[in-house]
Amino acid sequence: MSPWLEQLKIALEAKSNKENAYWMTKYMRNQFQFLGVKKPEQMEVFKQLFKSYPFPQNYLEIPNEMLDLPQHEFHYLAMVLVQKLKKDWDENVLDWVEKTALRYPGVIVTGKQNQDRKSTRLNSSHSRASRMPSSA
């Protein structure tokens, strides 16, 4: 694990909250583990540490390490980190995004879930339309 990620991990673990972690896990239907650090606190820690980010030759190396950690806060911040490094993007970033989306399908609505939402939306709009009086 990179020294930068070690610092991030220590800082987030210091702010962990078991009660928040319980409710966050429950909200995400037990798909992910959490430290219980809310987004504003995550971003505060991230911003402080981003100033010292080492910018390795392979800019996706640290985000990949972050995705290997079990807590969802690191998964989210890996995506934030990649976005912050957009000036360094090359053709590898598209592969990274695709692999990340496939690895964490619960984060991105795809496939059948999306079709179900679309059909629900269509059915509900059709129902409303059939209840409206005609304008003729």
Side-chain angles (χ1 to χ4, degrees), residues 77-87 89 93 96:
L77 289 174
M79 294 178 199
V80 171
L81 179 58
V82 170
Q83 185 178 11
K84 286 274 193 186
L85 298 172
K86 64 185 169 191
K87 67 181 184 327
W89 284 2
V93 77
W96 186 86

Side-chain angles (χ1 to χ4, degrees), residues 2-3 6 9-11 23 27 29-30 37 39 49 56 69 72 83 86 94 106 111 114 118 124:
S2 73
E6 282 285 342
K9 187 175 179 186
I10 290 167
W23 290 110
Y27 177 77
R29 299 180 181 179
N30 297 315
V37 182
K39 184 179 173 188
L49 286 174
L69 295 171
H72 190 61
Q83 185 178 11
K86 64 185 169 191
L94 293 175
N114 195 25
K118 187 176 181 180
S124 65

Side-chain angles (χ1 to χ4, degrees), residues 10-78:
I10 290 167
L12 287 177
E13 286 175 348
K15 293 188 176 277
S16 67
N17 180 313
K18 288 184 180 185
E19 186 175 348
N20 287 346
Y22 170 80
W23 290 110
M24 290 172 172
T25 302
K26 190 172 178 86
Y27 177 77
M28 293 299 288
R29 299 180 181 179
N30 297 315
Q31 293 179 54
F32 306 104
Q33 294 177 27
F34 286 87
L35 291 170
V37 182
K38 293 185 177 182
K39 184 179 173 188
E41 294 171 312
Q42 290 177 37
M43 292 309 296
E44 178 186 316
V45 168
F46 178 83
K47 285 177 184 178
Q48 290 173 354
L49 286 174
F50 183 73
K51 295 173 187 172
S52 66
Y53 185 74
F55 299 102
Q57 200 70 336
N58 178 2
Y59 67 96
L60 295 172
E61 182 179 323
I62 292 175
N64 283 330
E65 289 179 14
M66 294 169 78
L67 291 173
D68 289 338
L69 295 171
Q71 294 86 9
H72 190 61
E73 288 90 344
F74 295 107
H75 306 163
Y76 172 76
L77 289 174

